[in-house]
Amino acid sequence: MSTTMTYVDALLSLDTDSLTRTVTLSRLPTTHPADIYDLATRLAHPEAIARRAEHLSADDLHALATGSPAGAAANALLLADHTGNALPTVRETVGSLLEEVSPDQPSTADLSETAPEPWHAVTALQSLLLTWHGHLVPVTSSGHVPVSALADPARVLDLEPGALAQLSAIAQQAGLLCPVDGGLAVTSRADDWLVLPTVDAWRTLADTAADDDLATIARTDAGGAGALALIGAAQRRWPLGGRWLSRKLTDQLAQWRTLGLLDAHGAFTATGAAWLNRDEAALADIAESWPAVTEYGYLYNHLELLVPGLLPPRLARRLRLLADPVRLVETHTYQVSPSSVRRGRAHGLSVGEIREFLASLLRGDLSQPLQYVLDAEDHAPAPTAARPPALPEITSGSAPRRSATALRAHELVDGYRNADDDERRQGVLTWALREHAPVRLTVRSRDVERTMTLELTGVSGPRVRGREPGSELERTIPMSAVTQITPEEDTWDR
């Protein structure tokens, strides 16, 4: 059986996710494949095989190169059949790649940038979500929040914009932010996350940001030794990983640094070690030393409001309607002003509700300057109440976005599965004609079966035409008489 037909059969055995991943990792030419045979031929090309092989473990690669049965991962990437045996040309391609590979010297990403403490990462992201609630956050063409949108929050939080960019990326992974109309919006899931205790909110971010494979390697192969050991172990695990592995490690280390799992030297912090080893008791003990949640504050005569601790999000959300955050680190400082109080009224709060909320939050009586501001607002016309924003819903297990090529692949595979025998025969003959690939036809006529090899010259309607190799005589055969078609060879002429 030809290589192309073998790959067609293997394609049909892939599940939906495996087909998407196989086509995506192969990075096929942008021109859409004409049919399933064209798709199979492209996926069988050595360059496409090499790109998929980059994502296999050392054990699976060795099995493919030596002719031993490979694991399910090789089958899911269209490198082995369901029994684990290498598909055509895979053994030679993988063997050649392994001969050329030389392990890179382990190196770490730059971890020297100032990173928040674990609790500060949580309050920083809480602040971002509260700031962006009801607004569309701009993003760059690469999908990242621009520095211009992070400059003011970074100043208030005393963090580098890069750390906030990492936190916004983690928030997207956790479903707290999602793409909407060319920007990012806070989701309904963020409401549930915002009310979690600090340690649980942090654990959610750490679990979300962790690549399962890298976390397992860090815990087992690298023995929790830190970034250098993880990089070396990952390179041994995926010897052909190259660029994608380097990018994956860089992103992972940066996110772990931002969440306080790694220190500036790449070693796991006490918090990081407790999380990595799933030591809940140790993590709870560490969290006891984090700044306490505080539900009260003090107001000074210049209308600066200070909370000596971490203000819970439910109170921070209400306070942000009435005061502007100035500095949110171990203590939270806000500035009250006539414009900020008016903002609260625009969100539907009456002066009486504002007065009641501040009286419940502040220690002592409301200061005279604050009373002046509230009294002045009480005599001002009420602004139009702002409509509460609708938060995008995030559903778990949503299908990953597919490229145009992956969508075309699913269309071709589904079309082949749903085709009848006549349509499949027509398809393979059309492919053989286009590729100038000789085919072996088994023809049945008057209860007599005969096999012949033809170089096709035409496929139209109910008939197929072709010449036997070396002959000028053209045969015309009814399609209904063809019982079996087997290509003699494959070509790759793109």
Side-chain angles (χ1 to χ4, degrees):
M1 180 178 284
S2 72
T3 295
T4 296
M5 297 306 292
T6 301
Y7 273 81
V8 167
D9 290 343
L11 264 174
L12 297 172
S13 70
L14 295 181
D15 59 36
T16 298
D17 291 342
S18 296
L19 177 58
T20 298
R21 187 162 184 254
T22 292
V23 173
T24 301
L25 294 181
S26 297
R27 302 198 299 277
L28 301 180
T30 54
T31 305
H32 284 178
D35 50 37
I36 194 171
Y37 310 102
D38 187 16
L39 173 64
T41 304
R42 296 181 186 209
L43 292 171
H45 192 274
E47 289 184 8
I49 290 172
R51 291 168 186 147
R52 300 198 300 276
E54 292 176 359
H55 296 263
L56 279 187
S57 69
D59 290 343
D60 281 331
L61 290 171
H62 179 74
L64 291 175
T66 59
S68 304
N75 172 250
L77 285 177
L78 204 71
L79 297 170
D81 61 21
H82 67 281
T83 66
N85 292 320
L87 291 175
T89 73
V90 167
R91 180 174 181 177
E92 298 81 2
T93 301
V94 170
S96 176
L97 291 171
L98 289 177
E99 288 177 2
E100 298 173 2
V101 73
S102 57
D104 295 333
Q105 291 299 315
S107 60
T108 59
D110 182 12
L111 300 176
S112 60
E113 184 178 273
T114 301
E117 295 289 335
W119 59 266
H120 194 190
V122 173
T123 57
L125 184 53
Q126 288 172 346
S127 180
L128 282 183
L129 296 176
L130 293 174
T131 300
W132 293 342
H133 190 278
H135 303 284
L136 192 64
V137 184
V139 294
T140 64
S141 58
S142 58
H144 298 101
V145 179
V147 173
S148 59
L150 297 170
D152 286 342
R155 174 182 51 78
V156 170
L157 293 162
D158 193 25
L159 287 174
E160 295 292 335
L164 292 187
Q166 287 289 348
L167 285 173
S168 68
I170 294 170
Q172 290 184 66
Q173 293 173 237
L176 310 180
L177 291 169
C178 74
V180 176
D181 298 330
L184 289 177
V186 178
T187 70
S188 57
R189 185 178 293 176
D191 278 342
D192 296 329
W193 180 81
L194 283 168
V195 299
L196 291 174
T198 305
V199 67
D200 293 334
W202 179 85
R203 186 191 295 104
T204 298
L205 299 181
D207 290 346
T208 297
D211 177 275
D212 290 340
D213 288 333
L214 291 182
T216 299
I217 292 172
R219 185 182 303 114
T220 56
D221 298 27
L228 278 175
L230 170 61
I231 291 172
Q235 289 175 342
R236 291 189 293 274
R237 169 77 177 273
W238 294 288
L240 301 180
R243 289 183 182 177
W244 76 262
L245 180 56
S246 176
R247 186 167 56 249
K248 182 175 184 172
L249 285 165
T250 298
D251 291 346
Q252 182 69 95
L253 295 176
Q255 290 190 343
W256 281 356
R257 170 69 173 143
T258 298
L259 292 175
L261 280 82
L262 296 174
D263 63 21
H265 304 290
F268 279 100
T269 61
T271 308
W275 171 83
L276 188 68
N277 297 320
R278 303 189 181 96
D279 191 339
E280 294 297 323
L283 187 57
D285 288 343
I286 292 169
E288 288 291 326
S289 66
W290 295 356
V293 173
T294 306
E295 299 191 5
Y296 63 88
Y298 300 94
L299 187 71
Y300 298 95
N301 284 338
H302 50 286
L303 298 183
E304 186 177 69
L305 193 157
L306 185 144
V307 178
L310 308 181
L311 195 64
R314 61 183 176 81
L315 296 180
R317 174 177 291 179
R318 176 63 64 93
L319 183 57
R320 278 169 178 266
L321 298 179
L322 312 171
D324 298 309
V326 176
R327 183 174 171 82
L328 305 177
V329 190
E330 293 196 34
T331 57
H332 289 186
T333 307
Y334 297 81
Q335 183 67 51
V336 182
S337 66
S339 61
S340 67
V341 171
R342 191 160 185 80
R343 182 174 65 235
R345 291 199 69 196
H347 280 79
L349 297 177
S350 67
V351 174
E353 289 172 324
I354 294 172
R355 198 184 304 271
E356 181 181 353
F357 170 72
L358 291 175
S360 67
L361 178 68
L362 299 174
R363 291 286 175 89
D365 297 333
L366 300 185
S367 67
Q368 190 174 53
L370 179 59
Q371 293 284 16
Y372 287 152
V373 171
L374 295 177
D375 289 344
E377 186 60 37
D378 204 11
H379 292 90
T384 304
R387 178 178 296 179
L391 301 182
E393 292 286 345
I394 296 294
T395 56
S396 59
S398 56
R401 185 176 299 176
R402 296 174 184 168
S403 66
T405 306
L407 288 171
R408 176 61 175 163
H410 281 276
E411 176 186 332
L412 294 175
V413 170
D414 291 341
Y416 188 89
R417 286 173 174 155
N418 296 328
D420 58 29
D421 290 342
D422 288 341
E423 291 171 325
R424 291 183 181 181
R425 279 196 293 265
Q426 183 84 17
V428 72
L429 289 171
T430 300
W431 165 78
L433 175 64
R434 184 182 67 241
E435 300 297 325
H436 308 289
V439 291
R440 189 164 61 252
L441 302 181
T442 300
V443 180
R444 189 176 189 86
S445 177
R446 298 178 182 178
D447 295 329
V448 176
E449 212 168 58
R450 179 188 173 191
T451 299
M452 64 186 73
T453 298
L454 294 182
E455 296 170 346
L456 300 185
T457 58
V459 178
S460 59
R463 292 178 174 80
V464 56
R465 302 189 310 278
R467 302 185 185 92
E468 293 186 9
S471 171
E472 294 298 321
L473 179 64
E474 185 175 86
R475 293 179 178 274
T476 300
I477 301 171
M479 193 76 74
S480 59
V482 178
T483 61
Q484 187 175 352
I485 305 169
T486 307
E488 286 287 313
E489 63 184 56
D490 285 322
T491 61
W492 178 270
D493 52 10
R494 292 171 181 78

